[in-house]
């Protein structure tokens, strides 16, 4: 609505007082020199300016874009407001385009329901007024904000607390907690989502987050960091999503955490991470919870806590097999609490508490210097890890630096113990040599008769791992020869893919492999087809490249006809 001003420098004549503008008719150049004349002149100028603004408003109304219905214009503003899925205040610049856009945007309550407050309450006050009686989505970001600002926020937002539908506050420092607590004393009958974060309480008890159901009757989603939300366990009965992180409270009893967990019968997504409490009862308390509570609606669970607390929590509930689980606990060390084995963090009655174990079809055991991890899937997934998606069950133990060679927190024996009744079809293992050499592979393969894919990689170590043990375990013997030991049942009759990596090469391996494959093909009546679809051997320790190439050629000649695809490698020479 501003009038274009001609640039004086564009004119050849720059005489005072017009400097290139057209002179006013019937108006002497000295009309504004006297006090009376100046007042009259200003009155006429204001009148002309108002008329000119009105003319520009009429011109603006004739612009094609302003022919759109106001409702459609507001929807366009709303798209600008959301941006790339994140609410932004950049859209406010459109209100400066013209009066029509300003009025359309300022009077549309839906555009003022989402409020982001950083360092001033000015926008908060404006939004509260323009949103009228609509429910609000408010996010307060407290980065480097003085404590006095929170007091101002509480005085402005407190009377409107009944309108909040979504509320996110934080991070709050220690000095802000009293004002925050006063704000949370307001009744919030419309609140469905609450996110709060406190920082600076790593060594002190976490502040208590009071959530009585009477004040928060519609609350369904809770995310809290640095707070202890267990003072009113009844609130958890109405929640659908719960995320509790970094709760350090030495005065919090284990029973409070477990009681809260047992009430979460409506929860769909549950995350409890880094909850540290001092009072951890003995194993005998596991039987004190009574009947297990069924979390029948649970879809996703993520626990990352001390092993004993995890055991107490898992022992108090039953988790549906369709839920995806992620369970993580620290390994025991001289620096703090932890577990020596993952099984110490799991319930004694695994089948009842974690029925997903008996439904598992695919397992991956990964042992590294920082973590021992086991991933399980109830449905077969592609072998490349990047394409598998989220596992149905993820179990992990974090290993403190320097303890890897002493850690035995999760190993091949745990696969047998956890999935003893599972119809496993795919097993992939990365493990240290001691764990591999200490395993009875005949018993292992006996436990999983439906196995179709087996992959094992040894972590480099001082102890060599031979490949012959696997073929000996899978060799059913030659019944037609009438001599030697012959198994009555062929182990893993459906096995088609066998991959062994970073094992020790041996001159005696070839006849063992040939005998195994020939006997399996004969016993399984596959004389017209391969004993395995794919056999991959990545062996190390060949004396030199010449020996490696001779051995590779021998395998290709004698083993190649017995399998669909054969790969024989030694990374030292193939690289």
């Amino acid at each position: 609505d501003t009038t274009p001003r001609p640039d004086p420098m564009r004119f050849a004549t720059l005489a005072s007082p017009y400097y290139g503008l057209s002179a006013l008719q019937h108006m002497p150049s000295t009309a504004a020199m006297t006090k009376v004349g100046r007042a009259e002149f200003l009155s006429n100028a204001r009148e002309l300016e108002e008329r000119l603004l009105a003319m520009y408003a009429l011109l603006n109304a004739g612009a094609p874009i302003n022919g759109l219905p106001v409702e459609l214009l507001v929807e366009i503003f709303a798209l600008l407001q959301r941006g790339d899925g994140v609410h932004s205040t950049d859209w406010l610049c459109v209100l400066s385009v013209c009066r029509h856009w300003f009025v359309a945007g300022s009077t549309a309550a839906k555009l003022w329901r989402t409020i982001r407050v950083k360092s001033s309450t000015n926008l908060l006050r404006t939004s509260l007024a323009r949103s009228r009686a609509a429910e609000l989505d408010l996010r307060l970001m407290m980065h480097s904000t003085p404590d006095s600002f929170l007091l101002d926020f509480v005085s402005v937002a407190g009377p409107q607390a009944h309108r909040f539908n979504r509320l996110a506050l934080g991070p709050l420092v220690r000095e802000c907690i009293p004002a925050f607590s006063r704000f949370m004393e307001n009744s919030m009958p419309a609140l469905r989502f609450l996110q709060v974060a406190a920082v600076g309480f790593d060594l002190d008890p976490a502040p208590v987050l009071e959530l009585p159901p009477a004040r928060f009757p519609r609350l369904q989603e809770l995310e809290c960091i640095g707070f202890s939300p267990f003072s009113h366990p009844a609130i958890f009965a109405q929640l659908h999503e719960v995320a509790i992180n970094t709760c350090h409270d030495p005065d919090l009893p284990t029973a409070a955490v477990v009681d809260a967990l047992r009430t979460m019968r409506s929860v769909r997504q549950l995350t409890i991470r880094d909850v540290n409490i001092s009072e951890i009862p003995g194993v005998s308390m596991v039987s004190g919870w009574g009947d297990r509570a069924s979390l029948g609606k649970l879809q996703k669970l993520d626990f990352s806590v001390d092993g004993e607390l995890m055991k107490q929590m898992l022992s108090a509930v039953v988790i549906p097999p369709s839920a995806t689980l992620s369970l993580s606990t620290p390994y025991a060390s001289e620096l703090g609490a932890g577990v020596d084995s993952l099984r110490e963090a799991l319930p004694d009655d695994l089948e009842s508490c974690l029925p997903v174990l008996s439904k598992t079809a695919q397992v991956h055991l990964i042992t590294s210097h920082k973590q021992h991890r086991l991933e399980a899937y109830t449905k077969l997934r592609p072998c490349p890890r990047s394409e598998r998606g989220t596992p149905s069950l993820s179990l992990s133990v974090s290993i403190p630096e320097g303890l890897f060679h002493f850690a035995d927190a999760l190993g091949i024996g745990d696969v047998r113990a956890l999935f003893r009744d599972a119809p496993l079809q795919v097993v992939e293992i990365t493990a240290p040599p001691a764990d591999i050499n200490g395993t009875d592979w005949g018993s292992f393969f006996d436990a999983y008769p439906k196995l179709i894919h087996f992959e094992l990689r040894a972590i480099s170590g001082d102890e060599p791992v031979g490949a012959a043990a696997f073929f000996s375990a899978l060799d059913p013997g030659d019944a037609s020869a009438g001599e030697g030991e012959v198994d009555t049942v062929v182990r893993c009759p459906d096995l088609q893919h066998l991959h062994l990596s970073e094992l020790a090469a041996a001159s005696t391996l070839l006849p063992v492999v040939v005998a195994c494959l020939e006997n399996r093909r004969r016993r399984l009546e596959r004389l017209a087809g391969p004993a395995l679809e794919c056999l991959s051997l990545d062996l190390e320790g060949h004396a030199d490249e010449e020996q490696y190439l001779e051995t590779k050629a021998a395998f290709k000649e004698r083993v190649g006809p017995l399998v669909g695809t054969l790969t024989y490698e030694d990374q030292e020479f193939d690289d």
Side-chain angles (χ1 to χ4, degrees):
D1 292 343
T2 57
T3 303
R5 305 298 182 189
D7 184 353
M9 304 306 294
R10 293 177 180 270
F11 298 92
T13 303
L14 299 177
S16 174
Y18 294 106
Y19 299 107
L21 296 175
S22 299
L24 295 176
Q25 300 295 322
H26 313 296
M27 184 72 67
S29 60
T30 59
M33 297 301 179
T34 66
K35 184 176 182 180
V36 175
R38 188 173 182 81
E40 182 180 358
F41 197 88
L42 286 173
S43 176
N44 291 335
R46 292 191 186 98
E47 182 180 348
L48 289 173
E49 284 179 352
E50 290 180 0
R51 292 186 63 190
L52 188 60
L53 290 174
M55 293 176 66
Y56 274 111
L58 290 177
L59 287 173
N60 185 60
I65 185 65
N66 288 332
L68 294 174
V70 172
E71 296 80 4
L72 183 55
L73 193 61
V74 169
E75 289 301 320
I76 294 174
F77 293 168
L79 290 175
L80 293 174
Q81 186 184 66
R82 289 192 293 271
D84 296 329
V86 180
H87 179 85
S88 172
T89 57
D90 294 343
W91 78 277
L92 292 173
C93 64
V94 303
L95 301 183
S96 302
V97 171
C98 66
R99 276 179 165 76
H100 179 59
W101 284 23
F102 178 85
V103 173
S106 298
T107 58
K110 66 176 295 182
L111 296 177
W112 303 94
R113 293 175 56 183
T114 301
I115 310 171
R116 298 294 181 266
V117 182
K118 293 183 179 179
S119 57
S120 170
T121 58
N122 290 339
L123 182 58
L124 172 63
R125 296 172 190 272
T126 301
S127 299
L128 291 175
R130 292 181 178 177
S131 59
R132 297 191 287 272
E135 293 184 354
L136 303 173
D137 173 1
L138 173 62
R139 177 178 292 274
L140 173 65
M141 291 162 278
M142 291 289 294
H143 296 286
S144 303
T145 303
D147 305 337
S148 57
F149 166 68
L150 184 61
L151 294 174
D152 188 24
F153 166 82
V154 171
S155 65
V156 175
Q160 303 294 326
H162 63 281
R163 297 172 54 192
F164 295 135
N165 179 270
R166 297 176 63 86
L167 184 61
L169 306 174
L172 303 171
V173 297
R174 184 189 309 274
E175 292 75 14
C176 295
I177 297 303
F180 167 77
S181 298
R182 289 198 299 273
F183 173 72
M184 293 301 294
E185 291 175 359
N186 291 289
S187 179
M188 302 185 191
L191 192 66
R192 293 181 179 272
F193 171 87
L194 175 62
Q195 180 188 75
V196 291
V199 294
F201 293 88
D202 295 343
L203 301 179
D204 298 314
V208 175
L209 179 62
E210 300 281 354
L211 295 173
R215 292 208 306 262
F216 304 91
R218 297 174 65 189
L219 186 64
Q220 294 183 346
E221 300 179 40
L222 172 64
E223 297 180 12
C224 65
I225 300 174
F227 282 93
S228 177
F230 300 103
S231 57
H232 296 274
I235 193 68
F236 293 100
Q238 67 190 56
L239 299 182
H240 294 171
E241 297 184 17
V242 178
I244 302 170
N245 292 275
T246 318
C247 173
H248 300 171
D249 189 351
D251 298 324
L252 181 67
T254 303
V257 179
V258 176
D259 287 343
L261 179 63
R262 288 171 56 82
T263 63
M264 298 183 191
R265 299 178 185 270
S266 298
V267 72
R268 299 188 181 98
Q269 297 189 30
L270 173 61
T271 298
I272 299 180
R273 301 180 65 87
D274 194 19
V275 174
N276 296 331
I277 54 181
S278 60
E279 181 247 317
I280 299 289
V283 177
S284 60
M285 191 173 179
V286 171
S287 60
W289 302 125
D291 294 337
R292 293 186 177 93
S294 176
L295 306 184
K297 296 183 179 180
L298 188 65
Q299 300 173 0
K300 182 179 180 180
L301 180 143
D302 183 355
F303 282 171
S304 181
V305 295
D306 177 79
E308 185 59 37
L309 177 59
M310 182 183 294
K311 184 171 186 174
Q312 297 293 335
M313 292 193 297
L314 293 177
S315 298
V317 296
V318 176
I319 299 171
S322 58
T324 60
L325 313 180
S326 177
L327 308 176
S328 178
T329 190
Y331 183 73
S333 71
E334 297 179 357
L335 302 178
V339 296
D340 293 318
S341 172
L342 178 70
R343 278 177 278 180
E344 296 177 15
L346 299 178
D348 297 327
D349 189 1
L350 289 172
E351 292 79 6
S352 299
C353 300
L354 300 174
V356 65
L357 296 175
S358 62
K359 308 291 183 181
T360 300
Q362 185 168 336
V363 165
H364 305 268
L365 173 65
I366 305 102
T367 304
S368 69
H369 290 270
K370 294 182 179 180
Q371 188 181 66
H372 292 182
R373 185 174 70 256
L374 193 153
E375 297 176 348
Y377 299 83
T378 55
K379 296 181 180 179
L380 296 183
R381 301 296 179 91
C383 288
R385 189 162 182 254
S386 59
E387 301 177 11
R388 292 174 192 159
T390 304
S392 306
L393 172 65
S394 176
L395 304 174
S396 64
V397 180
S398 55
I399 309 298
E401 186 175 356
L403 288 182
F404 169 71
H405 293 294
F406 307 96
D408 189 21
L410 186 60
I412 300 172
D414 293 292
V415 175
R416 289 284 311 277
L418 297 175
F419 303 99
R420 53 180 175 264
D421 297 322
L424 292 187
Q425 294 179 271
V426 175
V427 174
E428 295 184 6
I429 295 173
T430 300
D435 194 11
I436 298 174
N437 290 333
T439 299
D440 181 350
W441 290 105
S443 299
F444 185 92
F445 291 128
D446 282 337
Y448 305 112
K450 296 184 178 181
L451 200 64
I452 60 175
H453 179 108
F454 180 79
E455 182 172 334
L456 182 136
R457 182 174 73 88
I459 298 176
S460 299
D462 297 333
E463 184 178 347
V465 178
F470 300 93
F471 293 98
S472 297
L474 292 169
D475 188 352
D478 185 2
S480 62
E483 57 184 30
E485 185 175 348
V486 178
D487 294 334
T488 56
V489 178
V490 179
R491 290 175 176 140
C492 306
D494 298 323
L495 183 66
Q496 292 297 326
H497 299 265
L498 180 60
H499 304 264
L500 304 176
S501 302
E502 299 186 31
L503 274 60
S507 58
T508 58
L509 177 61
L510 179 58
V512 175
V513 174
V514 172
C516 171
L517 297 178
E518 288 180 341
N519 291 335
R520 287 182 66 83
R521 189 165 67 166
R522 186 181 302 109
R523 293 285 299 276
L524 294 172
E525 299 180 354
R526 296 176 184 169
L527 297 180
L532 295 174
E533 288 185 9
C534 180
L535 174 61
S536 175
L537 299 174
D538 183 357
L539 308 181
E540 56 187 21
H542 295 89
D544 50 38
E545 186 173 8
E546 182 180 358
Q547 184 197 49
Y548 163 63
L549 294 176
E550 289 178 356
T551 305
K552 183 174 183 177
F555 266 83
K556 182 178 180 180
E557 178 184 356
R558 298 191 59 189
V559 179
L562 301 176
V563 297
T565 302
L566 172 66
T567 302
Y568 188 96
E569 297 178 339
D570 186 330
Q571 296 299 324
E572 179 181 357
F573 302 110
D574 285 312
D575 288 343

